[in-house]
Amino acid sequence: MSTVTDSQRKAPAGERVADWADGRLGIYGLAKTNMRKIFPDHWSFMLGEICLYSFIIIILTGVYLTLFFHPSMNEVVYHGPYAPLQGVRMSEAYASTMNISFEIRGGLLIRQIHHWAALIFIAGMLVHMMRVFFTGAFRKPREVNWLFGFLLFMLGLFTGFTGYSLPDDLLSGTGVRFMEGVLLSVPVVGSYMAMFLYGGEFPGGDFVARFYSIHVLLLPGIMLGLLVAHLILVFYHKHTQFAGPGRTNKNVVGMPLLPVYMAKAGGFFFLVFGVIAVMAAVASINPIWAMGPYRPDQVSTGAQPDWYMGFSEGLVRIMPGWEINAWGHTLVLGVFIPIVIFPLVLVAIAVYPFIEAWVTGDKREHHILDRPRNVPTRTGVGVAWITLYLILLVGGGNDLWATHFHLSINAITWFVRIFMFVGPVLAFIFTKRWCLGLQRRDREKVLHGRESGVIKRLPHGEFVEIHQPLKPAEMHTLTAHEQYKPLEIGPSVDENGVERKVSPLQKLKAKLSKGYYGGESQIEKPTAQEHEEITSGHGHH
């Protein structure tokens, strides 16, 4: 029979509740193990926090909006306070969005916070992924977490599309019509997919309700699960850190989660919330009343999707109107080919970590980040991908470029058609050469020190500049990176003179490895002996 001690009777109620919970959940042990976990400190790590906080803001504002939004395409006549639309027939979805904007207290501000937060969430994910990519934070053991992040980005694109389609205004309706054309271009099953999604011939009567379920239940639920898994893996694998004195693959130099990191993270959350709220208060976004309700026989002038879907539309706009007619069926290649290329452009980045691991053959864990200049090939690939993304974004708005800059829309279209192939190649070459130039500059700084700007005249009349030696911490940063040796296939014959069989895959791997780590892809780091010779008086300082 258990007894209660005097100390337990005298303990405060809160402590007794905590003891009760700990006896069943093990909270004390869990907190002791994890609440003092160390996190490194660097400004670029806040990009991931911006994604997290904007997602929280999206959820909070989205819950408020669902209380007043009616996901129905039933027609009603508008009798609200916005005079230009008085007596106009519209769907309940559009009418309820007008009601939120003009009659619900704080409704317009919440709508705009929700939309701005969505844009910042996707932009934050893209920039965060590029930070992870350029610094090599995706390497073992974080390949799975990279895929989680990629899936979050992809789901974010489609969640945004379904979200801005819900008001059923003329602009979003044009985007929904574009989506119908994409579905109809799919061979064999395209028409069935369109009929299912829209509940009949376009525009049907069900797509708002179905988009609503997808937008508020299906996609956010999957994203929330992926986000939790992503954060758990970040916690489990420990955070990456940039090279510096005392930092190795076996430790983390930084601040504890509690109280320092949590205090900073909490303050940063309110800072992000405040910035988004100010943007929503002063900058109008998606003014549906200016566009009017959707009608299938009308198209908004200058209709453009949100920026994150613009590159997919760019693919369709620049594609020639090719068609194949056979056996009574029409295959619209002008739309079908772009929607096949669209995911490939994104998947190319998703699978990159596995390609690099295969090329290097490196199976070690990496917790120290690369400086992008020290991995020129990877940095060039990333910049080439961004260049392709931006060029296609220009194609997605070719009509606006033409009208705003008084250019020929055909000239812009042909520019995008050509430079979607040429641009990434030029960007790769330029970026790689730039990285090599930065490596040479780092090598000179290590060997000769930093230029001081002070000119000294030697006794024999020569003028030289005084160089200041680098601090040990800066010297470590410039020389801490590893330099791999490219893989070698070896001799074509073995020791007995018999020709060795080398598969095409092995030849490709060796060629890629040379492209990554050959003499033209990295500048050799200065050795300790070279540094000693320079600093011992054989160089000018």
Side-chain angles (χ1 to χ4, degrees):
M1 180 176 179
S2 61
T3 58
V4 180
T5 64
D6 291 339
S7 61
Q8 288 175 315
R9 292 193 186 96
K10 295 176 182 179
E15 185 176 331
R16 292 200 300 271
V17 171
D19 288 337
W20 181 89
D22 180 59
R24 291 151 181 82
L25 303 175
I27 295 175
Y28 287 171
L30 185 66
K32 185 176 180 180
T33 303
N34 296 307
M35 291 298 100
R36 298 293 292 175
K37 192 174 182 69
I38 301 298
F39 281 84
D41 192 17
H42 191 270
W43 68 265
S44 66
F45 299 154
M46 293 192 295
L47 296 171
E49 294 183 46
I50 291 174
C51 301
L52 174 62
Y53 301 153
S54 56
F55 183 75
I56 294 172
I57 295 167
I58 291 170
I59 297 298
L60 294 176
T61 54
V63 169
Y64 182 82
L65 295 174
T66 58
L67 301 177
F68 307 102
F69 181 73
H70 299 159
S72 170
M73 295 185 69
N74 294 331
E75 282 198 343
V76 296
V77 178
Y78 182 72
H79 296 293
Y82 187 69
L85 290 180
Q86 285 282 351
V88 175
R89 298 183 67 85
M90 59 185 64
S91 66
E92 283 191 59
Y94 185 88
S96 64
T97 309
M98 292 289 293
N99 180 55
I100 292 171
S101 302
F102 290 98
E103 299 180 73
I104 301 299
R105 188 179 298 274
L108 181 58
L109 179 63
I110 297 298
R111 264 195 69 224
Q112 299 215 141
I113 289 176
H114 188 74
H115 203 142
W116 276 117
L119 292 180
I120 291 173
F121 174 60
I122 297 174
M125 282 197 294
L126 180 60
V127 178
H128 175 60
M129 287 184 68
M130 289 299 98
R131 196 278 300 174
V132 171
F133 180 87
F134 287 123
T135 59
F138 55 77
R139 293 173 294 175
K140 184 182 178 181
R142 297 177 179 83
E143 301 97 329
V144 173
N145 221 14
W146 168 264
L147 291 178
F148 284 169
F150 171 76
L151 289 174
L152 278 168
F153 179 68
M154 287 292 292
L155 291 173
L157 298 182
F158 289 105
T159 305
F161 172 76
T162 55
Y164 70 64
S165 300
L166 290 180
D168 198 29
D169 60 281
L170 190 55
L171 178 61
S172 68
T174 304
V176 174
R177 184 67 183 236
F178 176 84
M179 184 68 180
E180 187 223 11
V182 168
L183 292 176
L184 290 176
S185 71
V186 178
V188 183
V189 298
S191 57
Y192 298 99
M193 293 167 61
M195 293 286 283
F196 171 78
L197 183 63
Y198 296 107
E201 291 289 345
F202 183 85
D206 297 329
F207 89 82
V208 169
R210 291 176 181 177
F211 275 30
Y212 181 77
S213 299
I214 294 170
H215 181 72
V216 304
L217 292 175
L218 179 62
L219 295 180
I222 298 173
M223 292 176 70
L224 187 60
L226 286 171
L227 183 60
V228 171
H230 185 75
L231 294 176
I232 289 174
L233 286 179
V234 169
F235 208 85
Y236 174 72
H237 290 145
K238 73 185 180 182
H239 207 294
T240 53
Q241 57 187 343
F242 284 97
R247 299 175 182 178
T248 69
N249 279 312
K250 297 182 179 180
N251 70 351
V252 179
V253 178
M255 299 173 297
L257 180 63
L258 279 178
V260 180
Y261 188 81
M262 289 298 292
K264 294 177 68 174
F268 190 49
F269 169 76
F270 288 106
L271 181 62
V272 172
F273 205 150
V275 169
I276 293 176
V278 170
M279 292 172 62
V282 302
S284 178
I285 186 170
N286 197 23
I288 62 164
W289 52 88
M291 296 169 236
Y294 178 66
R295 287 183 52 181
D297 60 338
Q298 295 181 356
V299 175
S300 297
T301 302
Q304 303 291 318
D306 278 337
W307 67 268
Y308 50 85
M309 295 298 288
F311 79 103
S312 60
E313 182 161 327
L315 281 167
V316 175
R317 289 195 184 192
I318 66 171
M319 183 70 190
W322 296 340
E323 291 183 356
I324 294 177
N325 295 289
W327 301 292
H329 298 278
T330 301
L331 179 59
V332 185
L333 297 178
V335 179
F336 180 64
I337 291 178
I339 69 168
V340 172
I341 296 176
F342 166 65
L344 294 179
V345 172
L346 297 173
V347 170
I349 287 294
V351 300
Y352 179 85
F354 304 96
I355 295 174
E356 183 172 306
W358 176 71
V359 170
T360 62
D362 188 358
K363 301 184 183 301
R364 298 172 300 163
E365 290 193 1
H366 292 272
H367 304 288
I368 299 295
L369 297 172
D370 290 326
R371 299 175 77 208
R373 67 184 62 182
N374 293 328
V375 196
T377 301
R378 180 204 297 155
T379 304
V381 169
V383 173
W385 187 89
I386 294 174
T387 302
L388 175 61
Y389 193 101
L390 294 176
I391 290 173
L392 292 176
L393 196 60
V394 172
N398 57 358
D399 54 340
L400 294 184
W401 283 89
T403 56
H404 282 67
F405 295 98
H406 308 290
L407 300 171
S408 165
I409 193 170
N410 289 329
I412 295 172
T413 301
W414 275 104
F415 167 83
V416 176
R417 286 175 178 174
I418 294 170
F419 272 82
M420 71 172 290
F421 298 102
V422 177
V425 175
L426 294 177
F428 175 83
I429 295 172
F430 175 79
T431 303
K432 189 172 180 179
R433 292 181 64 86
W434 192 359
C435 289
L436 292 173
L438 292 173
Q439 286 188 42
R440 291 189 184 95
R441 190 184 70 170
D442 288 346
R443 177 182 171 86
E444 290 297 315
K445 287 172 66 176
V446 170
L447 292 176
H448 300 287
R450 186 183 301 279
E451 297 177 354
S452 65
V454 177
I455 306 298
K456 180 180 179 180
R457 184 178 184 182
L458 300 179
H460 59 276
E462 180 185 2
F463 288 92
V464 296
E465 183 179 11
I466 302 298
H467 287 70
Q468 298 174 343
L470 299 181
K471 296 178 181 179
E474 189 174 3
M475 183 79 74
H476 180 87
T477 300
L478 297 181
T479 58
H481 59 283
E482 293 185 72
Q483 290 193 315
Y484 295 91
K485 297 296 182 183
L487 299 177
E488 299 289 346
I489 297 180
S492 58
V493 295
D494 59 19
E495 62 276 9
N496 298 318
V498 179
E499 185 177 355
R500 295 172 57 244
K501 291 184 178 180
V502 181
S503 68
L505 200 60
Q506 288 177 304
K507 293 180 180 178
L508 175 63
K509 184 175 181 179
K511 192 170 184 178
L512 289 174
S513 180
K514 185 178 180 181
Y516 270 77
Y517 306 117
E520 297 181 356
S521 299
Q522 58 184 358
I523 304 301
E524 189 175 350
K525 292 192 300 183
T527 63
Q529 182 180 359
E530 288 177 316
H531 184 262
E532 180 65 25
E533 290 178 358
I534 292 290
T535 56
S536 62
H538 297 287
H540 295 302
H541 290 277

